[in-house]
Amino acid sequence: MKILIVDDSSTMRRIIINTLSRIGYTDVVEGENGKSGLEKLGQGGVEMIITDWNMPEMDGLEFVKTVRAQNAGIPILMVTTNAAKEDIVEALQAGVNNYVVKPFTPETLKEKIESLLG
Amino acid sequence: MDQSEIDALLAGGGKPAKKGKAASKAAEADRAPAPPPPPAPPSAPSVRAEPHKDGSGHVISELDTVTSVTERESNKVMDQLDQISRLVSRQQQLITDMMRHEGAQSQGVQKAIHEVMTASKEIQDKVFEAMDLMQFQDITRQKLERIVHHLRQIHDYIVDLLGTGLKSDSERPSISHTIAQTGTTPDENKAHADAVIEAFKTQKKG
Ligand SMILES: [Mg+2]
């Protein structure tokens, strides 16, 4: 199971990668914004996406919309500081399957990933 | 600009009488409720003049430096935590080997080794907890970016108003617009997000 992690914070990417490895997912590719996320996705094999919202170059919302235009099925989890109700709804409308607000606990991330894959 | 206008700008909801492009862009980012604005084009060309290095421009660049330095230093802490984690894993492997050793089969020795293993697992858990707490770096950075964003608005507004001086340098696109609403506990964040998702799904079904 290859997972694409898109976040402009390298610290945050490491935290997510650590959590994933603790629950058995070690095949990970990284992007630092939506644009590089699309590049990594284009290289193939990605089965799930975990993306931030606030990023330079291309933000997470635009990234999700672009991905959804090409791929309706891939599970997408958004992990972001944006916590307003209207943000969450906007992301869901754009096509994210689930949503985690930072800061999160590893249990939350685990639960959300498992529900996406379940 | 009077105090109420400055306050309105700082609160993020202000609509000063005379607005520069930066201010209107910022007001958009500050989000009125629906309808959602279209996503910003990637790397929109900057219409700003040369960045300046005095006054608020200096503060802005200082804050930018703080955010990049804290990210770099946070990564060093993560490196150390990674290393501790690897060492503890190695230690656990050694303890497991020790348990199997023929000279360690007495009940007392096995009990002692078990206790060492339990302590080692506790250390590992604490290392993971410390890694998770490093999320503060990203969250603090975004709070600083928001402050920088407001400073740019104020600075550029004053430049527009006086008709003299240079606009601030272009900023990172896509700053967090609702970060002020975060900072509660992770459990509260989760409960809030889950409730919105649940309502959205129910509405979609109905
Ligand atoms: Mg970000």
Side-chain angles (χ1 to χ4, degrees):
Chain A
M1 159 71 71
K2 188 188 272 187
I3 301 177
L4 169 63
I5 298 165
V6 187
D7 198 306
D8 58 325
S9 161
S10 56
T11 311
M12 195 54 80
R13 290 198 303 273
R14 289 179 75 163
I15 290 166
I16 294 171
I17 290 168
N18 269 317
T19 308
L20 289 174
S21 79
R22 274 183 268 162
I23 57 174
Y25 300 104
T26 51
D27 191 4
V28 163
V29 275
E30 298 175 58
E32 58 184 24
N33 56 54
K35 224 168 140 186
S36 74
L38 287 175
E39 280 166 25
K40 296 290 161 67
L41 193 63
Q43 289 166 11
V46 173
E47 288 169 89
M48 183 178 158
I49 298 169
I50 298 176
T51 184
D52 181 26
W53 185 322
N54 301 302
M55 297 179 284
E57 300 276 334
M58 180 192 278
D59 72 19
L61 196 69
E62 198 186 342
F63 171 64
V64 170
K65 287 176 180 169
T66 311
V67 172
R68 277 288 172 251
Q70 311 159 0
N71 186 330
I74 192 163
I76 305 177
L77 177 64
M78 185 163 263
V79 181
T80 173
T81 53
N82 292 356
K85 186 183 166 191
E86 58 266 33
D87 286 328
I88 301 173
V89 169
E90 192 176 358
L92 291 166
Q93 281 167 344
V96 312
N97 300 92
N98 220 318
Y99 198 98
V100 171
V101 176
K102 295 171 184 172
F104 55 84
T105 63
E107 290 75 23
T108 297
L109 199 62
K110 182 173 183 266
E111 181 197 312
K112 298 281 183 176
I113 288 166
E114 282 167 356
S115 84
L116 283 193
L117 299 173
Chain B
M1 179 189 268
D2 62 29
Q3 188 58 47
S4 67
E5 286 173 301
I6 294 170
D7 290 345
L9 268 177
L10 283 168
K15 301 254 189 306
K18 188 187 171 196
K19 255 192 325 185
K21 278 188 181 165
S24 55
K25 203 176 148 200
E28 185 192 343
D30 277 341
R31 170 69 43 114
S43 309
S46 172
V47 292
R48 296 164 191 279
E50 286 288 303
H52 60 96
K53 291 290 168 215
D54 59 341
S56 55
H58 181 70
V59 174
I60 290 166
S61 84
E62 289 264 307
L63 284 171
D64 276 343
T65 306
V66 168
T67 59
S68 48
V69 168
T70 53
E71 174 148 29
R72 193 187 66 212
E73 297 303 310
S74 295
N75 273 319
K76 286 186 191 166
V77 176
M78 289 293 280
D79 287 342
Q80 295 297 319
L81 291 171
D82 266 340
Q83 213 170 334
I84 296 168
S85 180
R86 270 196 295 274
L87 289 169
V88 173
S89 291
R90 170 85 184 120
Q91 184 191 49
Q92 287 174 2
Q93 188 54 54
L94 292 170
I95 297 167
T96 306
D97 293 347
M98 205 194 298
M99 280 170 128
R100 294 192 192 114
H101 196 279
E102 60 180 40
Q105 296 310 309
S106 82
Q107 213 181 350
V109 175
Q110 283 288 316
K111 187 169 173 280
I113 296 173
H114 266 290
E115 278 167 14
V116 175
M117 182 61 115
T118 304
S120 177
K121 283 179 177 160
E122 279 170 21
I123 295 169
Q124 186 70 278
D125 287 346
K126 288 293 164 196
V127 172
F128 289 147
E129 269 177 48
M131 284 177 175
D132 291 330
L133 289 171
M134 296 302 287
Q135 288 180 69
F136 90 91
Q137 189 277 325
D138 184 38
I139 293 160
T140 306
R141 185 186 71 172
Q142 294 195 50
K143 285 181 177 166
L144 282 173
E145 279 170 1
R146 197 164 164 75
I147 293 167
V148 169
H149 166 77
H150 286 305
L151 282 174
R152 284 182 207 280
Q153 276 182 271
I154 294 167
H155 172 83
D156 292 347
Y157 178 81
I158 292 168
V159 169
D160 272 349
L161 199 69
L162 300 178
T164 174
L166 294 168
K167 295 285 188 72
S168 56
D169 197 2
S170 61
E171 68 179 327
R172 291 163 60 104
S174 188
I175 65 154
S176 175
H177 36 77
T178 55
I179 197 155
Q181 296 179 48
T182 67
T184 49
T185 68
D187 287 343
E188 283 168 6
N189 283 339
K190 181 182 182 294
H192 165 69
D194 285 353
V196 177
I197 294 166
E198 199 50 46
F200 179 83
K201 285 181 178 167
T202 309
Q203 199 186 13
K204 222 178 160 189
K205 271 185 213 153

